[in-house]
Amino acid sequence: MKYISNLNMNQNLSSKQKSYLSVLNVIHRDHPISRADIGKKIGLTSVTISSIVTQLLEENIIKITGEGDSKGGRRPILVDLVPSAYYMAALDVGITKIIAAIIDWCGNIIRSIRIESDLTNGEEHTIHQMLSQMRKIISEIDPAIQKKIIGIGLSLPGIVDTEKGLSIHSPGTQSLSQEKDVEIAKIFENEFGIKTYIENNARSMALAEIRYGTAQNVPNTCAINIGHGIGSGVSIDGELYRGYALPSGGLGHLMVLPSGPTCYCGGRGCLESLAAGYAIAAAATRSFSMNEGALIRKLVDGRLEKVTAEVVAIAAHKGDPLAKQIIQEAGHYLGMGILSMISFINPEMVVLGGGVTKSGDLLLDGIKQTVNSHSISKRIKLPQILISELGDNSSVIGAAAIALEEILISNPDIFIKKK
């Protein structure tokens, strides 16, 4: 796991400032923690660490939280973050919803709002909605908290350039970057005067899970966001893996059925075209014409356009045979995709999030049955496959975490301007 002391930090920082940030970063990653354990992770002397910890305590950035377990001597004093020291503002932009939140730097949501949104009305409409929700969430919190917002994180669908703050391609949404790159980070910085960072929503979810959620302390993790589309993020040694020129973790466009339906990407039989939310809804609507799925039809009053994956999940939980079959089939194809991920990466854990996971055990059983029945499962230790504990909030929490960790590395003046 990386810490600031071995990253390529701003060369204008003094050695004292670098040490300060190194200690702060370790406490942020591994709180609560003792002074001795901080030293083991970054190699600073006990005198230097004690001096910095005392300074952080005086500035009310950290606090003493109790005693750790003894390893043969005096029980160590543990220090932890003060949650109210810093806050992030964050947005998670999905195909059908936008979630805005204020999140403290421990990953706790202080306030959030959600709107249902149709992101098929063009770039201008989408950006207007995003800015509007950010203004609203900031205006609703105490002015004292407003002053402590140090960054904005945006979780976006599709392909993004995290370094340049660009939305490059949002396939199937007509919302952003269909014909040109959108300088979305700059738009937010100009509007709010706060440094803004962006990430793909699946990788945002992955970071939230390894920092605050189901995969805490699990350094090698794959997180799969199964919503209207399917995306994935990979953590290796506790750090997000982003790939080289193209984003990593494009599990949704892995071909799992060569004779399957055409995907909007142009391929056939992509995982997304078989198991994403829109694919589940499409499978249900096709069945209407075959006089099946009576409960699904009843739940939407016979209106095909109202069928969603959530409606299918509700019908499945109520015992509708067709709905159960559709969810289990989706689980089967997801299991095939996860098997490919296991073959390439062999993560310790696979965390599933997104709206489709509200199908719960019906989906999970289909996934596990496929994974466990494959020959590879008899040769290697399989990862745990779990549904996210953070639920719908995972990507917005991850967006805040992305922003905070980038600030600690690339914009440290926020923390050291008085040092």
Side-chain angles (χ1 to χ4, degrees):
M1 185 178 293
K2 295 178 183 176
Y3 293 98
I4 283 185
S5 60
N6 55 21
L7 296 179
N8 183 23
M9 292 195 306
N10 188 327
Q11 296 302 310
N12 294 324
L13 298 178
S14 68
S15 59
K16 181 179 179 181
Q17 290 170 330
K18 289 180 181 180
S19 296
Y20 179 93
L21 283 173
S22 295
V23 171
L24 183 59
N25 190 54
V26 171
I27 298 172
H28 171 252
R29 289 285 185 93
D30 296 316
H31 63 98
I33 189 170
S34 69
R35 291 170 174 82
D37 284 339
I38 294 171
K40 290 176 184 176
K41 290 179 181 293
I42 53 178
L44 295 175
T45 67
S46 59
V47 173
T48 299
I49 290 172
S50 291
S51 174
I52 294 171
V53 166
T54 298
Q55 185 176 352
L56 290 167
L57 288 167
E58 291 173 350
E59 293 167 346
N60 201 33
I61 293 174
I62 65 172
K63 61 185 177 181
I64 292 174
T65 191
E67 295 181 338
D69 295 331
S70 172
K71 297 178 181 179
R74 182 182 299 175
R75 297 179 68 183
I77 301 297
L78 301 178
V79 294
D80 204 342
L81 302 175
V82 174
S84 60
Y86 299 107
Y87 295 90
M88 315 300 296
L91 281 183
D92 174 33
V93 182
I95 306 302
T96 59
K97 56 87 172 76
I98 295 177
I99 297 175
I102 304 298
I103 300 169
D104 69 31
W105 72 326
C106 295
N108 304 306
I109 294 179
I110 305 304
R111 186 171 183 82
S112 68
I113 53 178
R114 173 180 175 140
I115 62 166
E116 303 306 312
S117 177
D118 180 4
L119 299 189
T120 61
N121 293 323
E123 177 186 313
E124 186 176 341
H125 174 75
T126 299
I127 292 174
H128 171 76
Q129 285 192 310
M130 293 171 65
L131 291 171
S132 175
Q133 294 311 299
M134 184 59 74
R135 289 190 206 101
K136 188 173 189 296
I137 195 70
I138 291 175
S139 69
E140 290 180 353
I141 60 173
D142 189 286
I145 294 178
Q146 291 178 12
K147 293 177 181 178
K148 294 182 180 181
I149 295 175
I150 60 173
I152 291 175
L154 305 179
S155 167
L156 304 174
I159 300 173
V160 300
D161 184 327
T162 56
E163 291 186 6
K164 297 179 180 178
L166 303 176
S167 174
I168 295 174
H169 184 53
S170 298
T173 70
Q174 289 80 52
S175 57
L176 291 170
S177 55
Q178 290 298 303
E179 298 178 357
K180 66 182 191 310
D181 297 348
V182 179
E183 295 182 315
I184 193 69
K186 185 177 290 186
I187 290 171
F188 271 74
E189 289 171 358
N190 290 341
E191 177 74 19
F192 298 101
I194 301 173
K195 187 65 177 174
T196 300
Y197 302 86
I198 70 171
E199 185 50 276
N200 163 271
N201 49 20
R203 287 195 295 277
S204 295
M205 172 192 159
L207 187 63
E209 294 299 337
I210 63 176
R211 294 290 183 260
Y212 309 115
T214 309
Q216 283 186 80
N217 303 315
V218 183
N220 300 302
T221 296
C222 174
I224 304 175
N225 191 336
I226 316 162
H228 184 82
I230 295 176
S232 56
V234 176
S235 160
I236 299 175
D237 291 335
E239 303 293 333
L240 279 185
Y241 177 70
R242 288 192 169 101
Y244 174 52
L246 291 175
S248 64
L251 189 65
H253 298 288
L254 177 74
M255 185 178 69
V256 295
L257 187 65
S259 60
T262 300
C263 181
Y264 63 77
C265 74
R268 289 186 67 87
C270 293
L271 178 59
E272 192 165 294
S273 70
L274 295 162
Y278 77 85
I280 291 171
T285 35
R286 284 195 301 270
S287 301
F288 270 22
S289 61
M290 295 183 286
N291 198 33
E292 293 184 89
L295 183 54
I296 299 173
R297 189 183 303 108
K298 182 179 178 181
L299 289 170
V300 297
D301 296 324
R303 299 171 63 185
L304 298 183
E305 71 276 9
K306 295 294 183 181
V307 176
T308 64
E310 184 176 3
V311 168
V312 178
I314 292 170
H317 282 300
K318 290 179 179 290
D320 183 84
L322 175 67
K324 290 174 70 175
Q325 179 187 335
I326 291 170
I327 295 296
Q328 287 168 347
E329 237 177 49
H332 166 68
Y333 289 121
L334 284 164
M336 292 176 67
I338 289 170
L339 275 168
S340 295
M341 186 72 75
I342 292 171
S343 297
F344 281 110
I345 301 172
N346 193 21
E348 298 165 71
M349 182 179 289
V350 176
V351 183
L352 309 176
V356 172
T357 60
K358 291 177 182 176
S359 304
D361 287 342
L362 284 170
L363 183 75
L364 200 56
D365 289 347
I367 291 171
K368 289 182 176 180
Q369 184 176 354
T370 298
V371 170
N372 292 332
S373 65
H374 197 277
S375 59
I376 192 175
S377 66
K378 299 174 178 62
R379 298 190 180 98
I380 65 171
K381 184 177 180 180
L382 293 173
Q384 296 183 74
I385 303 174
L386 303 170
I387 292 178
S388 167
E389 297 172 357
L390 299 176
D392 289 346
N393 292 320
S394 60
S395 288
V396 76
I397 293 172
I402 292 283
L404 176 59
E405 295 194 5
E406 290 295 331
I407 288 169
L408 277 165
I409 297 168
S410 62
N411 195 22
D413 289 349
I414 288 172
F415 302 99
I416 63 167
K417 56 188 175 184
K418 295 180 181 178
K419 311 299 177 286

